Amino acid sequence: MTTTDLGQALRRWRDRVAPETAGLPVGGQRRAAGLRREELALLAGISVDYVTRLEQGRAARPSGQVVEALARALRLSGDERAYLFRLAGLVPPGPETVPAYLTPSVQRLLDRLVDTPVGVSDAAMTLLVANPMYAALMGDPSGWSGFERNGVWRNFLGAPTRVRHTPEERRAFEAGMVAELRATVGRYPADRQLRRLVAELRAGSERFAELWDAGVVGRLQASRKTIEHPQVGPLTLDCDLLRVEGNDLHILVYSAEPGTEAAEKLALVSVLGTQSLVG
């Protein structure tokens, strides 16, 4: 396989994805029904220049993370995803690594929940994809890279998030995250990236190291969360964690009871988020 094969495949797959199915606005003159390069770059979280170089055969050997992001953005099937890895000169991830593949059914679910903040993470709590409502509510994750996309890393080592906890809630949330991560490590003991994540967390956070060494095991539970939005202020929402057992994915869904102040604020977040995206 050559980089020309890779470029041709990317262009072919890009041409078949209608922008509206990917949640992108449609307007103006379009020379093709599919995604533009800048739209694919936006969805995959990489630069337009890099997409161009890949398609033109001027860039070789993209990383596994880039290939995975491209596969999600292009909505590839399982076989197509494996083929893309091989075109990039990589071995498709095996059962010993944390899955990062969004099934067509999960993608269809995201497509339908356009008015609801939804994020999909892998079993290690690394954010794979988030819809525009999630970005409007929690902050735009498109600029995150590496461990920044991991929820455990962000909560123990990253900048403060928009979620507000009482001290008791914070302790319970931290214990739940560590317990969930430990269970994931138990299922994927050979995943090198996962081991590096744990090592960095232990080295950088005394609180994480304390909980990890205590051997907490379990699952992170759904809860109500108070989010401090910079424009609409605090809003308390139900936060449901749905698990896709076959692919070990986590779907995080935020919602508010109809007719409540929180529902009104969430609707306002939707308007503000849309304005921000268009502008």
Side-chain angles (χ1 to χ4, degrees):
M1 296 297 181
T2 67
T3 51
T4 300
D5 296 321
L6 174 61
Q8 290 176 347
L10 289 175
R11 288 193 296 273
R12 183 171 63 249
W13 287 326
R14 177 165 61 82
D15 286 342
R16 76 180 186 186
V17 180
E20 60 267 24
T21 66
L24 296 170
V26 181
Q29 289 285 95
R30 300 184 68 93
R31 290 184 292 178
L35 296 175
R36 298 180 174 121
R37 281 176 177 161
E38 57 267 27
E39 291 170 334
L40 174 57
L42 174 66
L43 292 170
I46 59 179
S47 72
V48 180
D49 176 66
Y50 193 51
V51 170
T52 302
R53 288 189 288 121
L54 284 172
E55 289 193 354
Q56 294 178 348
R58 295 186 290 113
R61 303 291 181 178
S63 69
Q65 284 184 317
V66 167
V67 172
E68 197 73 78
L70 287 168
R72 286 195 296 270
L74 292 166
R75 299 170 175 237
L76 301 186
S77 68
D79 288 341
E80 289 169 338
R81 170 177 169 268
Y83 181 61
L84 179 59
F85 269 92
R86 295 189 182 97
L87 286 175
L90 300 170
V91 177
E96 73 281 358
T97 60
V98 175
Y101 173 56
L102 261 66
T103 62
S105 59
V106 171
Q107 188 62 66
R108 286 193 298 270
L109 180 64
L110 280 171
D111 292 341
R112 284 160 175 75
L113 294 176
V114 291
D115 296 324
T116 303
V118 182
V120 181
S121 300
D122 65 17
M125 288 167 281
T126 296
L127 185 67
L128 302 177
V129 64
N131 68 2
M133 266 298 288
Y134 179 99
L137 176 67
M138 304 300 291
D140 185 4
S142 62
W144 297 345
S145 61
F147 287 150
E148 278 184 312
R149 299 191 68 85
N150 183 269
V152 189
W153 189 95
R154 287 198 309 277
N155 277 278
F156 282 96
L157 295 177
T161 70
R162 292 182 179 180
V163 179
R164 297 293 173 260
H165 294 107
T166 66
E168 182 180 355
E169 289 170 341
R170 180 73 190 177
R171 287 192 295 271
F173 180 63
E174 290 174 340
M177 296 199 90
V178 175
E180 181 85 36
L181 188 62
R182 178 180 288 280
T184 301
V185 170
R187 294 196 300 279
Y188 305 98
D191 190 307
R192 295 179 181 178
Q193 185 75 355
L194 188 56
R195 294 205 305 269
R196 284 197 291 269
L197 171 64
V198 172
E200 184 165 322
L201 283 164
R202 291 194 67 194
S205 169
E206 291 184 7
R207 173 63 173 160
F208 179 89
E210 173 192 346
L211 289 167
W212 187 264
D213 293 341
V216 290
V217 177
R219 280 189 163 192
L220 188 63
Q221 300 299 317
S223 62
R224 287 175 62 79
K225 291 187 182 296
T226 298
I227 294 99
E228 186 71 40
H229 191 275
Q231 290 163 290
V232 307
L235 61 166
T236 300
L237 304 171
D238 290 317
C239 179
D240 290 297
L241 179 60
L242 314 177
R243 299 173 187 270
V244 184
E245 298 294 350
N247 291 79
D248 222 353
L249 297 174
H250 297 169
I251 304 176
L252 202 61
V253 182
Y254 291 91
S255 64
E257 184 178 350
T260 62
E261 181 184 3
E264 293 175 359
K265 286 187 174 183
L266 192 58
L268 181 55
V269 167
S270 176
V271 173
L272 293 170
T274 301
Q275 291 177 343
S276 175
L277 288 172
V278 172

